């Protein structure tokens, strides 16, 4: 009978790490593909009420007014402000009905 020949490929581990990395890449790709094509994930990330849309609104509002964006703020009204009155959100506090700035009662240097 013919003698079975042993292959040297099976006796060393040179290709094992390459195969492991390829399998790991395949698993990570399939998990990423699953998340990316999920309807709830797309609703969370995209659209007019998605995560990045709210993040953009908050960043724009905070940059313009120097105050944090929260649920009490009407974004469209605030960003459409024409600066023709003292009702600017940085200057005027709507809850208390007065300015956010302070000044002394007496003129400076007069006592």
């Amino acid at each position: 009978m013919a003698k079975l020949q042993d292959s040297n490929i099976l006796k060393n581990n040179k290709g094992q790490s390459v195969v492991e990395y390829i399998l790991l890449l395949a698993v990570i790709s399939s998990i990423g593909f699953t998340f990316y094509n999920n309807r709830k994930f797309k609703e969370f990330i995209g659209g007019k009420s998605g995560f990045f849309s709210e993040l953009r609104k908050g960043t724009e509002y905070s940059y313009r007014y120097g105050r944090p964006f929260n649920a009490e703020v009407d974004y469209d009204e605030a960003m459409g402000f024409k600066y023709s009155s003292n009702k600017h959100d940085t200057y005027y506090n709507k809850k208390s009905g007065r300015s956010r700035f302070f000044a002394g009662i007496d003129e400076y240097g007069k006592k």
Side-chain angles (χ1 to χ4, degrees):
M1 283 202 24
K3 190 176 178 185
L4 291 175
Q5 294 180 349
D6 290 335
S7 173
N8 285 340
I9 295 173
L10 299 176
K11 290 184 179 178
N12 62 26
N13 295 327
K14 287 183 179 177
Q16 181 177 354
S17 41
V18 172
V19 171
E20 287 175 358
Y21 282 119
I22 290 172
L23 290 174
L24 183 63
L25 181 64
V27 169
I28 291 173
S29 298
S30 64
I31 291 172
F33 187 74
T34 303
F35 274 113
Y36 183 72
N37 287 329
N38 189 343
R39 181 181 53 83
K40 291 206 177 238
F41 180 75
K42 285 186 177 181
E43 288 173 2
F44 173 72
I45 294 297
K48 294 193 177 199
S49 62
F51 173 73
F52 289 112
S53 174
E54 292 299 314
L55 185 66
R56 180 187 55 83
K57 284 180 181 179
T59 304
E60 287 177 354
Y61 180 84
S62 295
Y63 181 78
R64 186 172 191 177
Y65 292 107
R67 298 173 20 84
F69 181 69
N70 55 29
E72 298 172 2
V73 175
D74 182 11
Y75 175 80
D76 295 325
E77 179 184 333
M79 297 310 280
F81 188 74
K82 299 296 182 198
Y83 299 102
S84 58
S85 70
N86 68 345
K87 303 296 187 229
H88 188 277
D89 203 18
T90 304
Y91 177 76
Y92 189 71
N93 187 347
K94 291 179 185 176
K95 280 186 177 178
S96 65
R98 58 188 183 147
S99 170
R100 295 184 191 279
F101 297 99
F102 60 90
I105 296 174
D106 299 328
E107 271 187 55
Y108 182 73
K110 303 237 176 170
K111 276 200 167 196

